[in-house]
Amino acid sequence: MTGAVDRPPNGRALAERLGATPRPAATAGLPERIRRLTDGGAQYALDTTASAPLINNALQALRPTGSLGL
């Protein structure tokens, strides 16, 4: 599963066209939802926003052995 979290809708639309499952950044309980959808957490996350709240969400959504690229 490939997912995409972004603030502007056009970023999510592009990700969806490329095969990702889009989620708005303001989704309540986002890290928990991602962990549930990925059966324990994402293996990889990549942040291109430099937004502290989104980086924190990405860290919380990772599985224990996951990697976050900044």
Side-chain angles (χ1 to χ4, degrees):
M1 176 188 165
T2 302
V5 176
D6 205 345
R7 288 182 187 163
N10 60 341
R12 291 189 307 273
L14 174 60
E16 189 171 25
R17 283 196 310 271
L18 296 173
T21 302
R23 293 283 180 248
T27 301
L30 185 61
E32 296 81 14
R33 180 179 258 177
I34 291 171
R35 284 196 308 270
R36 204 170 38 252
L37 288 170
T38 58
D39 195 28
Q43 184 65 42
Y44 303 100
L46 175 64
D47 177 74
T48 60
T49 67
S51 164
L54 291 181
I55 292 169
N56 191 43
N57 278 345
L59 283 170
Q60 291 178 14
L62 288 173
R63 63 183 61 232
T65 58
S67 298
L68 173 61
L70 301 173

